[in-house]
Structures are given as structure tokens and as C-alpha cells.
Amino acid sequence: MSLPISVIIVNYNAGPGLLDCIRSVIDDVREVLVVDNQSQDDSLAKLENTFPQDSRLTIIRNTQNLGFAAACNIGATHAQPGYWLFLNPDCLCPPVAWRHFIKP
């Protein structure tokens, strides 16, 4: 069961931590949006190889590094209505955390 949460992650050369971050949330939420600030590492290639054609994952590629706040705003304009969680790519979210986020 996925919670009505859109997770927005801003990526800039986050490396393998980005994959771990997404793995920690993707099965529990409605969607994950990764807003990339023109990363120069292979984080997006690894992301696409790890989650090929996963409809819960959207990658938004900025043509330049717009900064964290602007990238968050871009993610918000693409997110579905409801709850939004802005999550840094070096964070892991254990399943028990969701009970503190959404109260019945």
C-alpha cells in the first residue's frame, strides 16, 4: 500500500547514495521525483538502470544547476497534489518513519 506522498529529491552528483535513498522510499509512497541540477557524475545513468520503466519514478533534468530551492520548486510543480516530502539524497527513510508522517 502506498501512502499519498510525493517525495521530491534534488540531485547534484549524489552518487550511489541517491539509489539508496530512493530504495528506502519508493515502495511506500505514491511517487518519487528526482530533480537533477545537471549532475556530472553517473548518478542518473545508475538510477535509470536500477529503476527502468518504474512508473513511480520521474526524473526531471535541469539544463543548468539552478540551486536547491529552485529545484525544489520545480519538483513541486510536477508533484501530485497531497503531501510532499522534500528529501535530501543522502537520507534513508525506514518504514517506521511513515507512521510519524501520516496520522490516521
Side-chain angles (χ1 to χ4, degrees):
M1 176 180 90
S2 67
L3 296 168
I5 301 170
S6 297
V7 175
I8 300 166
I9 302 169
V10 175
N11 180 50
Y12 181 72
N13 297 331
L18 176 64
L19 298 177
D20 293 335
C21 176
I22 293 171
R23 281 187 194 106
S24 77
V25 298
I26 198 162
D27 290 331
D28 297 321
V29 298
R30 174 177 42 209
E31 65 178 344
V32 175
L33 298 102
V34 175
V35 183
D36 185 71
N37 267 337
Q38 201 179 28
S39 293
Q40 302 301 308
D41 66 356
D42 61 351
S43 56
L44 287 186
K46 288 183 178 180
L47 181 60
E48 292 171 328
N49 288 333
T50 303
F51 301 97
Q53 301 177 352
D54 192 323
S55 63
R56 299 168 297 180
L57 177 64
T58 300
I59 300 171
I60 302 164
R61 291 175 171 81
N62 292 333
T63 57
Q64 59 184 325
N65 187 339
L66 301 175
F68 181 75
C72 285
N73 288 334
I74 290 168
T77 63
H78 288 84
Q80 295 181 33
Y83 295 101
W84 298 342
L85 173 63
F86 294 90
L87 191 61
N88 287 336
D90 60 348
C91 294
L92 300 178
C93 196
V96 69
W98 299 117
R99 73 173 184 212
H100 300 292
F101 192 98
I102 302 291
K103 304 246 186 232

PDB file of all heavy atoms in Angstrom, residues 17-45:
ATOM      1  N   GLY A  17      24.510   7.167  -3.118  1.00  0.00           N
ATOM      2  CA  GLY A  17      23.572   7.492  -2.048  1.00  0.00           C
ATOM      3  C   GLY A  17      22.184   7.775  -2.578  1.00  0.00           C
ATOM      4  O   GLY A  17      21.185   7.497  -1.913  1.00  0.00           O
ATOM      5  N   LEU A  18      22.092   8.310  -3.787  1.00  0.00           N
ATOM      6  CA  LEU A  18      20.797   8.589  -4.401  1.00  0.00           C
ATOM      7  C   LEU A  18      19.987   7.303  -4.567  1.00  0.00           C
ATOM      8  O   LEU A  18      18.791   7.275  -4.262  1.00  0.00           O
ATOM      9  CB  LEU A  18      20.999   9.274  -5.755  1.00  0.00           C
ATOM     10  CG  LEU A  18      19.744   9.552  -6.567  1.00  0.00           C
ATOM     11  CD1 LEU A  18      18.841  10.549  -5.840  1.00  0.00           C
ATOM     12  CD2 LEU A  18      20.112  10.065  -7.951  1.00  0.00           C
ATOM     13  N   LEU A  19      20.623   6.236  -5.014  1.00  0.00           N
ATOM     14  CA  LEU A  19      19.923   4.963  -5.194  1.00  0.00           C
ATOM     15  C   LEU A  19      19.414   4.417  -3.861  1.00  0.00           C
ATOM     16  O   LEU A  19      18.278   3.947  -3.768  1.00  0.00           O
ATOM     17  CB  LEU A  19      20.836   3.933  -5.857  1.00  0.00           C
ATOM     18  CG  LEU A  19      21.325   4.275  -7.254  1.00  0.00           C
ATOM     19  CD1 LEU A  19      22.279   3.192  -7.758  1.00  0.00           C
ATOM     20  CD2 LEU A  19      20.166   4.455  -8.207  1.00  0.00           C
ATOM     21  N   ASP A  20      20.255   4.493  -2.846  1.00  0.00           N
ATOM     22  CA  ASP A  20      19.847   4.012  -1.520  1.00  0.00           C
ATOM     23  C   ASP A  20      18.673   4.819  -0.986  1.00  0.00           C
ATOM     24  O   ASP A  20      17.742   4.275  -0.397  1.00  0.00           O
ATOM     25  CB  ASP A  20      21.020   4.079  -0.536  1.00  0.00           C
ATOM     26  CG  ASP A  20      22.128   3.104  -0.892  1.00  0.00           C
ATOM     27  OD1 ASP A  20      21.839   2.074  -1.552  1.00  0.00           O
ATOM     28  OD2 ASP A  20      23.284   3.374  -0.514  1.00  0.00           O
ATOM     29  N   CYS A  21      18.716   6.116  -1.196  1.00  0.00           N
ATOM     30  CA  CYS A  21      17.634   6.996  -0.757  1.00  0.00           C
ATOM     31  C   CYS A  21      16.321   6.592  -1.429  1.00  0.00           C
ATOM     32  O   CYS A  21      15.296   6.432  -0.756  1.00  0.00           O
ATOM     33  CB  CYS A  21      17.989   8.448  -1.080  1.00  0.00           C
ATOM     34  SG  CYS A  21      16.704   9.639  -0.687  1.00  0.00           S
ATOM     35  N   ILE A  22      16.350   6.426  -2.730  1.00  0.00           N
ATOM     36  CA  ILE A  22      15.127   6.066  -3.461  1.00  0.00           C
ATOM     37  C   ILE A  22      14.633   4.683  -3.059  1.00  0.00           C
ATOM     38  O   ILE A  22      13.431   4.483  -2.869  1.00  0.00           O
ATOM     39  CB  ILE A  22      15.359   6.183  -4.977  1.00  0.00           C
ATOM     40  CG1 ILE A  22      15.567   7.658  -5.328  1.00  0.00           C
ATOM     41  CG2 ILE A  22      14.194   5.584  -5.756  1.00  0.00           C
ATOM     42  CD1 ILE A  22      16.016   7.899  -6.741  1.00  0.00           C
ATOM     43  N   ARG A  23      15.538   3.738  -2.915  1.00  0.00           N
ATOM     44  CA  ARG A  23      15.137   2.395  -2.465  1.00  0.00           C
ATOM     45  C   ARG A  23      14.413   2.454  -1.117  1.00  0.00           C
ATOM     46  O   ARG A  23      13.523   1.654  -0.851  1.00  0.00           O
ATOM     47  CB  ARG A  23      16.353   1.488  -2.337  1.00  0.00           C
ATOM     48  CG  ARG A  23      16.853   0.928  -3.623  1.00  0.00           C
ATOM     49  CD  ARG A  23      17.950  -0.106  -3.368  1.00  0.00           C
ATOM     50  NE  ARG A  23      18.651  -0.406  -4.577  1.00  0.00           N
ATOM     51  CZ  ARG A  23      19.884  -0.005  -4.885  1.00  0.00           C
ATOM     52  NH1 ARG A  23      20.588   0.707  -4.011  1.00  0.00           N
ATOM     53  NH2 ARG A  23      20.440  -0.326  -6.030  1.00  0.00           N
ATOM     54  N   SER A  24      14.803   3.389  -0.277  1.00  0.00           N
ATOM     55  CA  SER A  24      14.227   3.449   1.070  1.00  0.00           C
ATOM     56  C   SER A  24      12.807   3.996   1.080  1.00  0.00           C
ATOM     57  O   SER A  24      12.121   3.872   2.092  1.00  0.00           O
ATOM     58  CB  SER A  24      15.126   4.266   2.001  1.00  0.00           C
ATOM     59  OG  SER A  24      14.989   5.655   1.791  1.00  0.00           O
ATOM     60  N   VAL A  25      12.345   4.600  -0.033  1.00  0.00           N
ATOM     61  CA  VAL A  25      11.014   5.199  -0.031  1.00  0.00           C
ATOM     62  C   VAL A  25      10.078   4.714  -1.134  1.00  0.00           C
ATOM     63  O   VAL A  25       8.861   4.761  -0.974  1.00  0.00           O
ATOM     64  CB  VAL A  25      11.084   6.748  -0.108  1.00  0.00           C
ATOM     65  CG1 VAL A  25      11.793   7.326   1.093  1.00  0.00           C
ATOM     66  CG2 VAL A  25      11.717   7.228  -1.405  1.00  0.00           C
ATOM     67  N   ILE A  26      10.602   4.249  -2.238  1.00  0.00           N
ATOM     68  CA  ILE A  26       9.780   4.071  -3.441  1.00  0.00           C
ATOM     69  C   ILE A  26       8.620   3.088  -3.262  1.00  0.00           C
ATOM     70  O   ILE A  26       7.556   3.266  -3.858  1.00  0.00           O
ATOM     71  CB  ILE A  26      10.636   3.708  -4.671  1.00  0.00           C
ATOM     72  CG1 ILE A  26       9.833   3.975  -5.945  1.00  0.00           C
ATOM     73  CG2 ILE A  26      11.154   2.280  -4.571  1.00  0.00           C
ATOM     74  CD1 ILE A  26      10.660   4.075  -7.197  1.00  0.00           C
ATOM     75  N   ASP A  27       8.776   2.084  -2.441  1.00  0.00           N
ATOM     76  CA  ASP A  27       7.696   1.105  -2.264  1.00  0.00           C
ATOM     77  C   ASP A  27       6.594   1.591  -1.325  1.00  0.00           C
ATOM     78  O   ASP A  27       5.540   0.966  -1.252  1.00  0.00           O
ATOM     79  CB  ASP A  27       8.251  -0.223  -1.749  1.00  0.00           C
ATOM     80  CG  ASP A  27       9.063  -0.944  -2.806  1.00  0.00           C
ATOM     81  OD1 ASP A  27       8.770  -0.767  -4.011  1.00  0.00           O
ATOM     82  OD2 ASP A  27       9.998  -1.680  -2.436  1.00  0.00           O
ATOM     83  N   ASP A  28       6.831   2.690  -0.637  1.00  0.00           N
ATOM     84  CA  ASP A  28       5.872   3.163   0.366  1.00  0.00           C
ATOM     85  C   ASP A  28       5.115   4.428  -0.031  1.00  0.00           C
ATOM     86  O   ASP A  28       4.205   4.836   0.673  1.00  0.00           O
ATOM     87  CB  ASP A  28       6.595   3.437   1.693  1.00  0.00           C
ATOM     88  CG  ASP A  28       7.205   2.178   2.272  1.00  0.00           C
ATOM     89  OD1 ASP A  28       6.578   1.116   2.178  1.00  0.00           O
ATOM     90  OD2 ASP A  28       8.336   2.264   2.803  1.00  0.00           O
ATOM     91  N   VAL A  29       5.507   5.061  -1.132  1.00  0.00           N
ATOM     92  CA  VAL A  29       4.912   6.346  -1.493  1.00  0.00           C
ATOM     93  C   VAL A  29       4.284   6.293  -2.883  1.00  0.00           C
ATOM     94  O   VAL A  29       4.506   5.369  -3.642  1.00  0.00           O
ATOM     95  CB  VAL A  29       5.960   7.477  -1.434  1.00  0.00           C
ATOM     96  CG1 VAL A  29       6.506   7.623  -0.017  1.00  0.00           C
ATOM     97  CG2 VAL A  29       7.076   7.271  -2.431  1.00  0.00           C
ATOM     98  N   ARG A  30       3.521   7.316  -3.178  1.00  0.00           N
ATOM     99  CA  ARG A  30       2.816   7.396  -4.463  1.00  0.00           C
ATOM    100  C   ARG A  30       3.782   7.632  -5.618  1.00  0.00           C
ATOM    101  O   ARG A  30       3.636   7.064  -6.693  1.00  0.00           O
ATOM    102  CB  ARG A  30       1.795   8.522  -4.389  1.00  0.00           C
ATOM    103  CG  ARG A  30       1.092   8.816  -5.671  1.00  0.00           C
ATOM    104  CD  ARG A  30       0.044   9.890  -5.563  1.00  0.00           C
ATOM    105  NE  ARG A  30       0.484  11.009  -4.749  1.00  0.00           N
ATOM    106  CZ  ARG A  30      -0.320  11.776  -4.049  1.00  0.00           C
ATOM    107  NH1 ARG A  30      -1.607  11.572  -4.054  1.00  0.00           N
ATOM    108  NH2 ARG A  30       0.140  12.772  -3.337  1.00  0.00           N
ATOM    109  N   GLU A  31       4.753   8.523  -5.407  1.00  0.00           N
ATOM    110  CA  GLU A  31       5.697   8.843  -6.477  1.00  0.00           C
ATOM    111  C   GLU A  31       6.976   9.419  -5.895  1.00  0.00           C
ATOM    112  O   GLU A  31       6.984   9.955  -4.785  1.00  0.00           O
ATOM    113  CB  GLU A  31       5.099   9.844  -7.473  1.00  0.00           C
ATOM    114  CG  GLU A  31       4.811  11.205  -6.866  1.00  0.00           C
ATOM    115  CD  GLU A  31       4.261  12.213  -7.867  1.00  0.00           C
ATOM    116  OE1 GLU A  31       4.368  11.991  -9.091  1.00  0.00           O
ATOM    117  OE2 GLU A  31       3.721  13.243  -7.413  1.00  0.00           O
ATOM    118  N   VAL A  32       8.049   9.275  -6.674  1.00  0.00           N
ATOM    119  CA  VAL A  32       9.334   9.882  -6.339  1.00  0.00           C
ATOM    120  C   VAL A  32       9.756  10.714  -7.542  1.00  0.00           C
ATOM    121  O   VAL A  32       9.787  10.222  -8.671  1.00  0.00           O
ATOM    122  CB  VAL A  32      10.407   8.811  -6.041  1.00  0.00           C
ATOM    123  CG1 VAL A  32      11.762   9.469  -5.810  1.00  0.00           C
ATOM    124  CG2 VAL A  32      10.015   7.964  -4.842  1.00  0.00           C
ATOM    125  N   LEU A  33      10.044  11.980  -7.286  1.00  0.00           N
ATOM    126  CA  LEU A  33      10.518  12.884  -8.333  1.00  0.00           C
ATOM    127  C   LEU A  33      11.957  13.263  -8.022  1.00  0.00           C
ATOM    128  O   LEU A  33      12.243  13.754  -6.927  1.00  0.00           O
ATOM    129  CB  LEU A  33       9.666  14.148  -8.392  1.00  0.00           C
ATOM    130  CG  LEU A  33       8.200  13.915  -8.741  1.00  0.00           C
ATOM    131  CD1 LEU A  33       7.359  13.989  -7.489  1.00  0.00           C
ATOM    132  CD2 LEU A  33       7.727  14.902  -9.747  1.00  0.00           C
ATOM    133  N   VAL A  34      12.843  12.999  -8.958  1.00  0.00           N
ATOM    134  CA  VAL A  34      14.239  13.391  -8.819  1.00  0.00           C
ATOM    135  C   VAL A  34      14.460  14.574  -9.750  1.00  0.00           C
ATOM    136  O   VAL A  34      14.268  14.460 -10.963  1.00  0.00           O
ATOM    137  CB  VAL A  34      15.193  12.234  -9.174  1.00  0.00           C
ATOM    138  CG1 VAL A  34      16.640  12.712  -9.150  1.00  0.00           C
ATOM    139  CG2 VAL A  34      14.996  11.072  -8.211  1.00  0.00           C
ATOM    140  N   VAL A  35      14.832  15.699  -9.172  1.00  0.00           N
ATOM    141  CA  VAL A  35      15.125  16.897  -9.956  1.00  0.00           C
ATOM    142  C   VAL A  35      16.643  17.011 -10.006  1.00  0.00           C
ATOM    143  O   VAL A  35      17.289  17.232  -8.985  1.00  0.00           O
ATOM    144  CB  VAL A  35      14.493  18.155  -9.331  1.00  0.00           C
ATOM    145  CG1 VAL A  35      14.760  19.366 -10.207  1.00  0.00           C
ATOM    146  CG2 VAL A  35      12.996  17.959  -9.108  1.00  0.00           C
ATOM    147  N   ASP A  36      17.193  16.834 -11.193  1.00  0.00           N
ATOM    148  CA  ASP A  36      18.643  16.827 -11.351  1.00  0.00           C
ATOM    149  C   ASP A  36      19.144  18.200 -11.784  1.00  0.00           C
ATOM    150  O   ASP A  36      18.670  18.769 -12.766  1.00  0.00           O
ATOM    151  CB  ASP A  36      19.063  15.777 -12.379  1.00  0.00           C
ATOM    152  CG  ASP A  36      20.557  15.671 -12.452  1.00  0.00           C
ATOM    153  OD1 ASP A  36      21.161  15.153 -11.495  1.00  0.00           O
ATOM    154  OD2 ASP A  36      21.133  16.134 -13.457  1.00  0.00           O
ATOM    155  N   ASN A  37      20.108  18.717 -11.049  1.00  0.00           N
ATOM    156  CA  ASN A  37      20.709  20.020 -11.336  1.00  0.00           C
ATOM    157  C   ASN A  37      21.962  19.869 -12.195  1.00  0.00           C
ATOM    158  O   ASN A  37      23.035  20.326 -11.843  1.00  0.00           O
ATOM    159  CB  ASN A  37      21.040  20.751 -10.031  1.00  0.00           C
ATOM    160  CG  ASN A  37      19.930  21.664  -9.587  1.00  0.00           C
ATOM    161  OD1 ASN A  37      19.116  22.104 -10.377  1.00  0.00           O
ATOM    162  ND2 ASN A  37      19.893  21.959  -8.295  1.00  0.00           N
ATOM    163  N   GLN A  38      21.806  19.198 -13.327  1.00  0.00           N
ATOM    164  CA  GLN A  38      22.860  18.969 -14.304  1.00  0.00           C
ATOM    165  C   GLN A  38      24.085  18.285 -13.684  1.00  0.00           C
ATOM    166  O   GLN A  38      25.216  18.767 -13.777  1.00  0.00           O
ATOM    167  CB  GLN A  38      23.256  20.267 -15.009  1.00  0.00           C
ATOM    168  CG  GLN A  38      23.932  20.023 -16.329  1.00  0.00           C
ATOM    169  CD  GLN A  38      24.308  21.288 -17.047  1.00  0.00           C
ATOM    170  OE1 GLN A  38      24.550  22.335 -16.435  1.00  0.00           O
ATOM    171  NE2 GLN A  38      24.383  21.213 -18.362  1.00  0.00           N
ATOM    172  N   SER A  39      23.832  17.147 -13.058  1.00  0.00           N
ATOM    173  CA  SER A  39      24.913  16.369 -12.465  1.00  0.00           C
ATOM    174  C   SER A  39      25.930  15.960 -13.515  1.00  0.00           C
ATOM    175  O   SER A  39      25.582  15.707 -14.676  1.00  0.00           O
ATOM    176  CB  SER A  39      24.348  15.102 -11.803  1.00  0.00           C
ATOM    177  OG  SER A  39      23.562  15.444 -10.698  1.00  0.00           O
ATOM    178  N   GLN A  40      27.173  15.867 -13.102  1.00  0.00           N
ATOM    179  CA  GLN A  40      28.261  15.451 -13.984  1.00  0.00           C
ATOM    180  C   GLN A  40      28.724  14.027 -13.683  1.00  0.00           C
ATOM    181  O   GLN A  40      29.570  13.496 -14.398  1.00  0.00           O
ATOM    182  CB  GLN A  40      29.437  16.420 -13.850  1.00  0.00           C
ATOM    183  CG  GLN A  40      29.074  17.863 -14.174  1.00  0.00           C
ATOM    184  CD  GLN A  40      28.535  18.043 -15.581  1.00  0.00           C
ATOM    185  OE1 GLN A  40      29.161  17.616 -16.550  1.00  0.00           O
ATOM    186  NE2 GLN A  40      27.365  18.642 -15.711  1.00  0.00           N
ATOM    187  N   ASP A  41      28.188  13.415 -12.633  1.00  0.00           N
ATOM    188  CA  ASP A  41      28.565  12.042 -12.306  1.00  0.00           C
ATOM    189  C   ASP A  41      27.618  11.087 -13.038  1.00  0.00           C
ATOM    190  O   ASP A  41      26.822  11.490 -13.885  1.00  0.00           O
ATOM    191  CB  ASP A  41      28.556  11.817 -10.794  1.00  0.00           C
ATOM    192  CG  ASP A  41      27.177  11.904 -10.170  1.00  0.00           C
ATOM    193  OD1 ASP A  41      26.187  12.219 -10.876  1.00  0.00           O
ATOM    194  OD2 ASP A  41      27.059  11.655  -8.960  1.00  0.00           O
ATOM    195  N   ASP A  42      27.675   9.824 -12.694  1.00  0.00           N
ATOM    196  CA  ASP A  42      26.832   8.825 -13.360  1.00  0.00           C
ATOM    197  C   ASP A  42      25.586   8.483 -12.547  1.00  0.00           C
ATOM    198  O   ASP A  42      24.971   7.438 -12.760  1.00  0.00           O
ATOM    199  CB  ASP A  42      27.636   7.565 -13.656  1.00  0.00           C
ATOM    200  CG  ASP A  42      28.175   6.889 -12.398  1.00  0.00           C
ATOM    201  OD1 ASP A  42      28.073   7.480 -11.301  1.00  0.00           O
ATOM    202  OD2 ASP A  42      28.704   5.772 -12.507  1.00  0.00           O
ATOM    203  N   SER A  43      25.182   9.355 -11.641  1.00  0.00           N
ATOM    204  CA  SER A  43      24.051   9.043 -10.763  1.00  0.00           C
ATOM    205  C   SER A  43      22.751   8.838 -11.536  1.00  0.00           C
ATOM    206  O   SER A  43      21.970   7.942 -11.210  1.00  0.00           O
ATOM    207  CB  SER A  43      23.873  10.107  -9.677  1.00  0.00           C
ATOM    208  OG  SER A  43      23.727  11.389 -10.225  1.00  0.00           O
ATOM    209  N   LEU A  44      22.495   9.617 -12.580  1.00  0.00           N
ATOM    210  CA  LEU A  44      21.254   9.432 -13.344  1.00  0.00           C
ATOM    211  C   LEU A  44      21.285   8.156 -14.171  1.00  0.00           C
ATOM    212  O   LEU A  44      20.269   7.460 -14.275  1.00  0.00           O
ATOM    213  CB  LEU A  44      20.988  10.636 -14.244  1.00  0.00           C
ATOM    214  CG  LEU A  44      20.527  11.905 -13.561  1.00  0.00           C
ATOM    215  CD1 LEU A  44      20.167  12.963 -14.588  1.00  0.00           C
ATOM    216  CD2 LEU A  44      19.358  11.659 -12.630  1.00  0.00           C
ATOM    217  N   ALA A  45      22.430   7.833 -14.750  1.00  0.00           N
ATOM    218  CA  ALA A  45      22.544   6.587 -15.515  1.00  0.00           C
ATOM    219  C   ALA A  45      22.302   5.384 -14.610  1.00  0.00           C
ATOM    220  O   ALA A  45      21.569   4.453 -14.972  1.00  0.00           O
ATOM    221  CB  ALA A  45      23.913   6.494 -16.174  1.00  0.00           C
TER     222      ALA A  45
END
